[in-house]
Amino acid sequence: TNFSDDELIYTVKLGYEFPSIPINVYASFTHGYKSGGINLDSTAAASGADPRFASEEVDAYEVGFKARFLDDALTLNVAAFHQEFTNFQVLEFTGTQFQTFNVPQAVSTGVEIEILARPNDNWTFNGGLTYVGANYPDDCATAANAIRVQNLCGNPLTNAPDLVAIAGITYENEIGNNLDFFLNGQIRTESDRRTSTQPSNPASLADTAPLPFDFQDSNTKINLRAGIGAQDDSWNLEVWATNITNQITRGVTFNTVLRSGSRSAFPQEPRMYGLTVRTRF
């Protein structure tokens, strides 16, 4: 079995910066490409199956602006985007084999907002909000495609929550003439998201809904960090903790190996804490 392909990748971008106000507006179009290939899983060619998968292409549109206010103390970036995928590549573990296949169409449309405020030398505030609809259109496939592909039409993409929001705060200051210190807190929240491509009944088009276990509920995670070090950066000591409320979330769900009717999951990182020491010499 062999595979070969070629594609022209290109980007067109237009921008304009207003002469009297610190605002830059832009619009861009990108034609992107992800190479196809051959699935090297030992079972990919079982029973004469073709282990090859096609290359993925995307047409991506984006418009937005970047602005600075209050003598650069406040930065605001806003972008709206629309992406149309052709032959979207999907990697799925069925419980007995890894399968790589293509879905003819997938679409992602959304808005992203970023804000950074630094009212003085001590305080920094940051925030971000992303709202995106990432899904397989109702007509993402035809009757000529495999049932596993047709089953995805009308459903969201895997691990693509509609809403993600982040917020953070940092305080920095000096101790005497030789030391710096900082305190930082970050919070991230996300809406529900699908964690598997498999529907309730992969062999039937009568029920294309995912299993309840294959949806991760909305969740919020908090990270904290504090540090102290020399002003010449010769050394630095930091203590940190991530996911301090120990939210247990699933990243990917899949069929349990050799156990029909059972589902398993790869959990994401639990609460962790540690100490980091840096030195320069």
Side-chain angles (χ1 to χ4, degrees):
T1 300
N2 58 63
F3 177 88
S4 64
D5 198 8
D6 60 82
E7 184 69 19
L8 176 66
I9 303 170
Y10 54 91
T11 297
V12 178
K13 187 171 184 178
L14 299 174
Y16 178 76
E17 185 169 357
F18 290 92
S20 57
I21 52 177
I23 297 179
N24 180 289
V25 296
Y26 67 91
S28 69
F29 171 79
T30 298
H31 178 74
Y33 168 85
K34 181 193 292 186
S35 176
I38 300 172
N39 184 355
L40 298 179
D41 185 87
S42 60
T43 62
S47 303
D50 189 345
R52 293 174 295 183
F53 54 95
S55 301
E56 176 185 306
E57 298 177 19
V58 61
D59 289 333
Y61 307 82
E62 183 174 334
V63 295
F65 70 85
K66 301 177 184 293
R68 302 183 304 277
F69 305 102
L70 305 175
D71 294 327
D72 294 343
L74 180 65
T75 300
L76 175 64
N77 300 330
V78 178
F81 57 87
H82 176 73
Q83 300 171 328
E84 299 177 354
F85 296 89
T86 302
N87 287 330
F88 186 76
Q89 294 175 1
V90 175
L91 173 63
E92 176 182 86
F93 181 64
T94 66
T96 57
Q97 65 180 152
F98 286 94
Q99 295 180 341
T100 303
F101 58 92
N102 298 93
V103 181
Q105 298 178 56
V107 177
S108 177
T109 303
V111 177
E112 186 175 61
I113 302 172
E114 297 177 335
I115 188 169
L116 178 68
R118 192 172 176 83
N120 55 47
D121 292 338
N122 302 119
W123 292 97
T124 302
F125 303 89
N126 70 281
L129 179 68
T130 301
Y131 181 80
V132 59
N135 58 75
Y136 302 101
D138 292 336
D139 59 350
C140 79
T142 68
N145 294 110
I147 290 181
R148 67 184 178 189
V149 177
Q150 298 180 57
N151 264 321
L152 292 173
C153 294
N155 282 295
L157 269 61
T158 303
N159 282 322
D162 290 343
L163 183 67
V164 175
I166 62 171
I169 182 173
T170 301
Y171 178 75
E172 303 170 278
N173 213 330
E174 299 176 350
I175 301 177
N177 297 322
N178 299 311
L179 299 177
D180 290 327
F181 78 94
F182 75 89
L183 304 171
N184 172 266
Q186 298 283 335
I187 185 170
R188 180 187 187 276
T189 186
E190 66 176 12
S191 59
D192 298 352
R193 54 181 166 81
R194 185 176 182 173
T195 59
S196 173
T197 56
Q198 295 175 319
S200 299
N201 187 353
S204 171
L205 288 174
D207 183 9
T208 62
L211 294 166
F213 183 74
D214 290 350
F215 269 98
Q216 170 59 54
D217 293 337
S218 59
N219 60 90
T220 299
K221 298 181 180 180
I222 301 172
N223 302 331
L224 298 176
R225 183 177 292 266
I228 189 172
Q231 292 182 4
D232 63 1
D233 294 327
S234 59
W235 65 272
N236 178 267
L237 174 67
E238 297 181 7
V239 292
W240 50 267
T242 59
N243 189 12
I244 63 172
T245 58
N246 201 30
Q247 295 289 308
I248 305 301
T249 55
R250 300 184 296 276
V252 176
T253 52
F254 53 92
N255 286 334
T256 304
V257 178
L258 301 179
R259 188 171 297 180
S260 177
S262 173
R263 299 287 281 168
S264 297
F266 289 117
Q268 296 179 310
E269 292 181 344
R271 176 173 54 223
M272 298 190 297
Y273 50 89
L275 177 70
T276 302
V277 180
R278 299 185 180 92
T279 185
R280 187 175 64 183
F281 53 87

